[in-house]
Amino acid sequence: MLAAFLMLLLCAVSQASMATAKHAPITITGKVTDNKGETLIGVSVRSSAGPAAITDAKGVYTLRTEDNATLTFSYIGYASQEVKVNGRTTINVSLAENASQLDDVVVVGYGTQKRKDVTGAVTTIRLEDSPKSSVPFVNPLEALQGTSGINVGPSTSAGATPNIVVRGQNSISASSKPLIVLDGVIFNGNLNDINMNDVASYDILKDASSAAIYGSRSANGVVLITTKRGRTDKPTINFSSYYGIQNWTRVPEMRKGEDFLQWRRDNLSIRGTDVSDITKVLSPLELQAYNEGHTLDWLDEVTQYAPIQNYQVSISGKTDKLNYYFSGGYLDQKGVMYNDTFKKPNFTLKLENNITDWLSYGVNGYYSSLDYSGNSPGLYMATYMSPYSYKYVEGSNDQLLQRYPAGNTSLFNPLWGNNTELTRGIYDDNLERSYNIQGTGFVNVKVPFIKGLNYRFDVTGRRSTAELGSFHHEGAEVNTLVPAQIANPTQFLSRTSGFKDDAISANWLINNLLTYTRSFGKHNIDVLAGYTRDNSRVETTRLNGLDFANAGTTSLGYNGLELATTKTGYTRYTEFSNVGYIGRLNYNYAQKYYATLNVRRDGYSAFAEDHKFGWFPGGSVAWALSEENFMKSLTFVNYLKVRASYGKTGNQGIDPYATQAFVTQGFTVFGSTSTSYMNPSSLANETLTWEKTAALNFGIDFSLFDNRVSGNVDVYKSKTTDQLLVRALPIFTGFNSVNTNLGEVQNKGIEITVNTVNIKSDGGFRWESGFSFWMNRNKLVHISGLDANGDGKEDDDIVNNLFIGKSLGANYDYTVDGIVQSSDTEYMNRYKTATGTNIFAPGDLKIRDLNGDGVIDPKDRSIIGYGKENFNFNISNTFMYKNFQLYFSINSIVGGGKNNFFSSTNLRGLYPGATLPTQANWLNNEYWMPDRESNEAPRPNYSNSYGYGFYQSRTFARLQNASLSYTFPKSMTEKLKINDLKVFVSGTNLITLTGWTGLDPANGAQIGGNGGSSISTVNTSLPLMRTVSFGLNLGF
Amino acid sequence: MKSYKNILTIIAAGSLLLASCKDDKFLREEAKDKLTIAGAFTSKAQFDGLSATFYKNLQLLYAAKDQTHEAFILGLGTDVMFDPRDNSVKFNNWGLVNAQEEFATDFFNLMYDNIKIANTLIAAAANPNVVWASEAEKAATIAEGRFFRGFAYRNLANAYGGVPIVSEPVTTAKVDFQRNTREECWTFAKADLEYARVNLPLTTTVIGRVTRAAADHFLAEVDISLKDYDGAIAAATRVIDGTDGSYALVKARFGSRNTSASYDINKDYYYDLFAMGNQNRQTGNTEGLLVAQFEVTATGAVVPGGVTGGFTRPLIERMMWSQPWGLIKAGYTGVAQDSTGRGVAFVRPTNYTVYNIWKNSGTDIRNNETNIKRKFYFGPNIAASTGFKPGQLIPKSFLTTREDTMSYIYPNWAKFGTDRHINALPDNGYVRDFYVARLPETYFLRAEAYLLKGNTAAAATDLNVVRDRAKAPLITAADVTIDYILDERARELYGEEFRMLTLTRMGLLFDRTRRFGYSFSAASVSANNNLMPIPQTAIDLNVGSKITNNPGY
């Protein structure tokens, strides 16, 4: 494989050097007009030999280049045109207005189609040369934000991969990740491996018919990413870079000064503690800080200056024989949380060589390394901490962190962590790196005997190495409140521990594709048949070391684990394979009537024996109405097409071995002899198979008024059956849960996208807008079908929060009518304990007796809202004037409605008792006190014994992206021997308007992570970052 | 043209290559890094690994969670013990014992885990491909599974009444279980224990593994529940008379603390029964019928197995003992000393346990200062201004606040802690094995059977065997009542016997708690508490069939 790769590389390079033979340079001039003869200003004229120019205010350009070159004229809103020079010195060109990108090429899975031939719901996002190309996206998915039908979650840490959902939640518990395809090959790596700067375009297959070509993996949609290729004869060297500053949006305002003291006093006094003087209110260490006037804003202390810098160099070009693109990039990002870093160098190499007119081959190679090393503090404890506290131990010259900054051992320094595996601090070592290399080699053969028949064979190999390491030193065990421990940390050597974990993932994939494309008169056909196979495995080796007392030191950290007194370890091996048979037939008559049929038969190794294969068929039809004669009289209609499609897709979103029953092992003891035990820990499922989604889609594509208004509307309905469900079982079975195919979920929705050219002035001013709106409704149709209570309807599964006939993500809880005031005597007297005392006191939640039985109990719960959104919309605007371009987009997710959509639990923001109230801090929000009755939040010592969730709407609107760029005029850049020079300032997540009391409404993160719970695993949410960056693109 | 041929050759070769590797074979899944059920139980060693899980679960009864969790089964909130820290917590307030109550839920779930393991074992042992050394080995292996299944159903039926009987491994997602009656559960348990008592070995070299005597011990109790008193007497007699192995009440000093050191010389054999390292047969103890094993590691008090959530501390001393070391006003520094241990007073004996049962106890060694520490002395820092000196007895009058007697000072049973911690670590250095069944209880069971049969003389004789060993005054047939047997159980087995199960089995939890429990428990307990609630999660998830909870839950 490697040898073949090198051979191809050598061939390619020799071809490239042959291609650079020189011809005589000449100077060409000319004028560019539109089809009505109006001059066009700012048209880009690019020679295949390299040089480029822009038309001036009179529509005239001048360009010096080779006499055999080809000029490409491009202008937004107009179809690009290529003209051979053939020695001419004057070339005038008339550009036709672009028929709303209908001739653009769309990647549809194992092939491409022209936009106007597409019959499914496929959205294309072009990044290369678009205003979005100067927005500082880090992860490739971030650029999909604002596309109808696609919800992209926020990225909250350096190098994070956002969550993404296409057309609603189909699966109750299996994966909802869409399939990613990179340059035609199913991509199994981390999305961060892909260099954002290499991305040219995205195509998203949303309807089941289009996606069915990817069968078993496509139920959650397919995102096809295409990287850049060479575009000019002359090698183009491009350098781009940006430097940005990131900060945290929506910083919670914690209490300080007198507000904090008031909070503390209220908390103590309502519990009956004497708060008559300050010494009774503050702990000794807090009191010392108070007397010294020493206060800290912990949200400041756990954050850092967070720059992001990105550099990218690419060399690309093409000749008749060769297309090449080579890039190297480096991204260095710091997150806003202290010590959160991400570094990524990467390289991309793409070569395609046409040996003859019937044979071509090529290679695509990608390399990246990702480094996330270093522990960062969580926000959880930072939002708890008293402002009267110390970050460092007194007298340590700010060298040694104070582990318990307020003198209270239940409130640890967020930088120190909590000495558990999950909340390590900055005194603990952390290693988290991966190295990834992927290469594809392909051969294309135009079979010579049969016109239109083409064979493609490609092989992809990928290997990633992930290194994880952690070490907990003795110093991190010291209680810094005890000087004797600071003086002698070696006493804790027996409590030190560490691990080193190496995981190797290797996968390979082959595609065999046969295509046949022919036109017979007005009949156009395009047939695809293929076979694909892939295999992935992950092998992990881990060594743990515990107790370094015998070693006497931990200075070697995770590189010296052999010094540990107790050493344990394990090896792991997981593997899965897929097989797919692919078939597709595209037919159209005169580009008026379209039909597509496709089918895939797919096998996945992790399903049960004899249940591994599934059929995934799809079909679609379309009618280009505007091409009919009877439509020609409607001159305002430039293009109009109606589409319908139906298809079945699958979800294999379970891990390997999910069908098998395993035993877990552990240790017990007999006498003093340690013995391992084995326990049957999981239940086998011998029939586990695909989760299936069948979906119907209707769509309209239109382009009106000289193509100034274009867009599409899609409506869809899908039904997902045989849900891959982890089903909780009654303990009588001895098991907690089992993987099953059970239940049905339906989704339906509407997506509207409209693009307009609002202003197109002769003075060179142009204003374009994009609007998209999408709405999805989700419904659980059934789960097990069981009706134990005999009411004739299937029972809800309350334990698992599943309600028949309702949307997933229900908030099932009590209805609360504000806070019990001291005047609410009638309410308080109504509910009594068995011994006759009142259950409710002033300052409690006023819970409604929904079923009116005089008792407040779980029967009074009902669905009071949903976490799912009501609808989404996105508005983008681009303004162009001469060399300036301004772009911004506004993104919004709207909740509410009679079903109270998009509301989530927010204990930390709305419930004052969610912290450790007598020790911790809280938001500067109102709460109930006997002397200041509130209807907003309960009393600070309210115990929330009903476990109410404190819900809040997450509706928001955000200025998501904006960029302002300036392209320097040729007259200036030519003197510097530069072809292109563009500078820009841009930003993401700039302004968010919302009523949500927390970090970010998009993911519903509460202040300090996910709030309320003390389980460290759920407290991992970090603030959303706002980025403002400055950058430039330089082309030679 | 030559190139065409090459290309075609490549395509043909590629296709052949693929065709040669069949899809089915390619997609076959084989777990390479872990054992599946199918491959797990083919040898005796693997069956031993499976049955070892029963013993891990036994450990979980004593070291699963902190606070009062492990006191539930020992009788928390009943006549014998309560949580002294807060009058309003569950089991002080029986109104909070509902179907969501965690302790009752955890015990229930743990028993069904045992049932699952037992069913897996019994079914796998029937596999003809397993190679056994002898039929007896096979029968003994199955007997171990059936013992623990019978034990689980005895526990469940005692505490919860009738529960679903699951007698086969569950291999599908079954959700339509139905409750059997309590009698059916006991009958099922009886069959398992009968098999076990015949097929288990009399002795074992693997310390802690169950032997025949334990099977007969629990069989005796199940027979009582089924009103088969003769069966119960027969079963208990097999344990007592040596048929099931040579068991006898300890009447002489033995084991780790049988030394001439000044701090040991005046201890007694009853104390030796609970000293660290003294619970197993192999260390000279002839009373332990089933003993949950715990072991200290080299680094101190990490208990292998029996630990979830990383709890690495033996809990019993912490839970049961008072914390005199924290009574600063009595001259203590707030740091636990070896002689006082590191109790934190989660569970306190009731006045019934502290005083009532010891009235007229005479020379009963179980109540001497060695075995129940009732005297506490002023610590080294006692201020001279108080008029007390270090080492002087703390008088009752010195204890004035609620905390003084609920938390800092109350009698400490020697069986829950030690004055000689491992590595002198009071917070970590107490690790001993726990008696799940001990011979005196067998006598009590036989006494109960005799009483219920009307033979009070024989019952008195059995009770006197235990009392005689304790050097307590002997009783007459006229003294024997169920109440008396329960009192004697408290004297001998406080903090050992599963008091919760004894009281629910007899249907006396309500009555006894009302009469003898902590005042708040006595006030809140109601008749329905004679059975524990079936966990709500089990009811809710059993969507195929409605399970009705016990009345009142």
Side-chain angles (χ1 to χ4, degrees), chain A residues 621-819:
Chain A
V621 290
W623 178 22
L625 279 159
S626 55
E627 306 305 300
E628 298 284 359
N629 287 333
F630 63 81
M631 288 289 289
K632 297 290 183 196
S633 59
L634 297 172
T635 51
F636 70 94
V637 178
N638 304 95
Y639 191 74
L640 182 64
K641 182 165 79 177
V642 293
R643 300 178 266 108
S645 76
Y646 178 79
K648 198 164 122 183
T649 53
N651 189 350
Q652 64 179 42
I654 55 154
D655 291 330
Y657 316 114
T659 60
Q660 304 190 24
F662 292 104
V663 292
T664 49
Q665 282 179 292
F667 288 91
T668 185
V669 69
F670 290 107
S672 57
T673 308
S674 190
T675 306
S676 66
Y677 69 79
M678 288 186 286
N679 187 12
S681 56
S682 56
L683 199 53
N685 184 332
E686 286 160 11
T687 58
L688 196 70
T689 190
W690 312 97
E691 175 177 308
K692 302 163 192 78
T693 298
L696 193 60
N697 189 91
F698 292 101
I700 300 172
D701 300 331
F702 58 88
S703 187
L704 311 169
F705 308 111
D706 287 341
N707 296 318
R708 284 180 70 157
V709 177
S710 63
N712 39 58
V713 177
D714 277 285
V715 292
Y716 61 88
K717 187 170 182 183
S718 72
K719 185 170 86 171
T720 305
T721 50
D722 288 346
Q723 292 276 338
L724 285 171
L725 205 58
V726 177
R727 178 175 188 192
L729 291 176
I731 194 63
F732 309 118
T733 60
F735 299 97
N736 293 317
S737 62
V738 66
N739 291 310
T740 48
N741 290 110
L742 198 67
E744 176 181 335
V745 170
Q746 289 184 1
N747 278 278
K748 59 184 178 182
I750 181 166
E751 297 165 358
I752 300 168
T753 303
V754 180
N755 294 308
T756 58
V757 179
N758 305 324
I759 295 178
K760 190 172 63 168
S761 86
D762 298 340
F765 181 69
R766 193 176 168 92
W767 172 26
E768 297 175 1
S769 295
F771 172 78
S772 53
F773 168 92
W774 64 105
M775 186 182 220
N776 185 81
R777 285 289 180 271
N778 178 275
K779 185 166 89 173
L780 177 67
V781 180
H782 74 82
I783 325 164
S784 56
L786 293 167
D787 175 23
N789 61 10
D791 64 353
K793 285 186 298 189
E794 181 176 348
D795 297 340
D796 295 332
D797 181 351
I798 295 170
V799 177
N800 288 311
N801 207 38
L802 297 173
F803 298 92
I804 306 299
K806 309 289 181 186
S807 173
L808 299 174
N811 299 325
Y812 184 76
D813 214 326
Y814 294 95
T815 301
V816 169
D817 302 316
I819 307 298

Side-chain angles (χ1 to χ4, degrees), chain A residues 358-359 443 445 447-449 455 457 494 508 510 512 531 533-535 547 565-566 571-579 581 602-607 609 612-613 655-663 665 667-685 727-736 738 740 784 786-789 795-800 858, chain B residues 1 3-4 7-8 10-11 14-15 17-18 21-24 26-38 40-41 45-53 55-57 59 100 108-110 112-113 115-117 120 144 163-164 166 170-177 206-209 280 293-295 299 304-306 433 534-547:
Chain A
W358 58 270
L359 176 67
V443 179
V445 183
V447 178
F449 317 112
Y455 171 72
F457 175 72
S494 66
W508 57 259
I510 51 168
N512 277 283
Y531 176 76
R533 190 178 254 206
D534 64 77
N535 171 274
D547 179 3
T565 306
T566 308
T571 51
R572 293 269 184 277
Y573 184 100
T574 34
E575 184 176 20
F576 65 88
S577 303
N578 286 86
V579 167
Y581 296 87
D602 240 358
Y604 177 44
S605 60
F607 290 117
E609 210 64 42
K612 293 183 194 291
F613 275 92
D655 291 330
Y657 316 114
T659 60
Q660 304 190 24
F662 292 104
V663 292
Q665 282 179 292
F667 288 91
T668 185
V669 69
F670 290 107
S672 57
T673 308
S674 190
T675 306
S676 66
Y677 69 79
M678 288 186 286
N679 187 12
S681 56
S682 56
L683 199 53
N685 184 332
R727 178 175 188 192
L729 291 176
I731 194 63
F732 309 118
T733 60
F735 299 97
N736 293 317
V738 66
T740 48
S784 56
L786 293 167
D787 175 23
N789 61 10
D795 297 340
D796 295 332
D797 181 351
I798 295 170
V799 177
N800 288 311
Chain B
M1 277 313 276
S3 328
Y4 291 166
I7 297 299
L8 289 172
I10 292 169
I11 294 172
S15 315
L17 194 73
L18 289 169
C21 183
K22 288 255 172 64
D23 288 342
D24 285 352
F26 181 66
L27 293 176
R28 187 161 301 144
E29 187 177 54
E30 190 187 348
K32 293 185 175 167
D33 64 347
K34 44 187 176 287
L35 295 169
T36 60
I37 301 278
F41 308 115
Q46 287 175 315
F47 279 97
D48 287 347
L50 180 57
S51 57
T53 317
Y55 299 89
K56 184 263 298 186
N57 284 354
Q59 291 172 331
Q100 279 93 25
F108 189 90
N109 293 351
L110 191 64
Y112 270 102
D113 193 49
I115 291 163
K116 169 194 73 179
I117 300 159
T120 306
E144 197 169 11
V163 294
V166 186
V170 176
T171 55
T172 57
K174 189 170 157 61
V175 291
D176 58 349
F177 294 92
V206 184
I207 299 171
R209 289 253 181 200
N280 289 316
Q293 303 291 306
F294 285 84
E295 192 56 39
T299 48
D433 302 330
I534 305 278
Q536 194 63 38
T537 51
I539 293 173
D540 287 348
L541 289 170
N542 194 58
V543 289
S545 176
K546 184 153 177 65
I547 285 181

Side-chain angles (χ1 to χ4, degrees), chain B residues 126-205:
Chain B
N127 180 351
N129 297 328
V130 182
V131 179
W132 300 101
S134 63
E135 274 303 307
E137 182 185 79
K138 178 180 174 181
T141 303
I142 294 171
E144 197 169 11
R146 293 194 70 170
F147 170 81
F148 279 100
R149 190 171 69 181
F151 178 62
Y153 274 106
R154 167 260 190 179
N155 291 338
L156 290 167
N158 283 11
Y160 305 89
V163 294
I165 292 176
V166 186
S167 57
E168 301 284 334
V170 176
T171 55
T172 57
K174 189 170 157 61
V175 291
D176 58 349
F177 294 92
Q178 291 178 339
R179 289 184 73 168
N180 291 79
T181 66
R182 200 180 197 186
E183 277 63 36
E184 282 166 347
C185 292
W186 276 324
T187 306
F188 187 79
K190 179 182 163 100
D192 276 343
L193 294 168
E194 287 280 7
Y195 182 91
R197 78 163 187 87
V198 174
N199 292 294
L200 281 174
L202 288 170
T203 60
T204 173
T205 52

Side-chain angles (χ1 to χ4, degrees), chain A residues 185-206:
Chain A
V185 175
I186 290 174
F187 181 73
N188 284 313
N190 177 344
L191 272 160
N192 266 321
D193 301 351
I194 300 171
N195 184 355
M196 190 61 224
N197 302 294
D198 288 340
V199 175
S201 65
Y202 303 87
D203 297 277
I204 300 115
L205 312 182
K206 294 191 290 195

Side-chain angles (χ1 to χ4, degrees), chain B residues 74-124:
Chain B
L74 303 178
L76 182 66
T78 65
D79 51 359
V80 289
M81 61 177 72
F82 67 102
D83 182 339
R85 295 168 300 170
D86 185 344
N87 293 332
S88 64
V89 298
K90 59 189 176 187
F91 297 99
N92 287 348
N93 177 1
W94 279 86
L96 298 176
V97 179
N98 55 32
Q100 279 93 25
E101 199 284 312
E102 178 198 7
F103 300 170
T105 299
D106 286 354
F107 186 69
F108 189 90
N109 293 351
L110 191 64
M111 289 309 115
Y112 270 102
D113 193 49
N114 272 355
I115 291 163
K116 169 194 73 179
I117 300 159
N119 285 333
T120 306
L121 186 150
I122 295 162

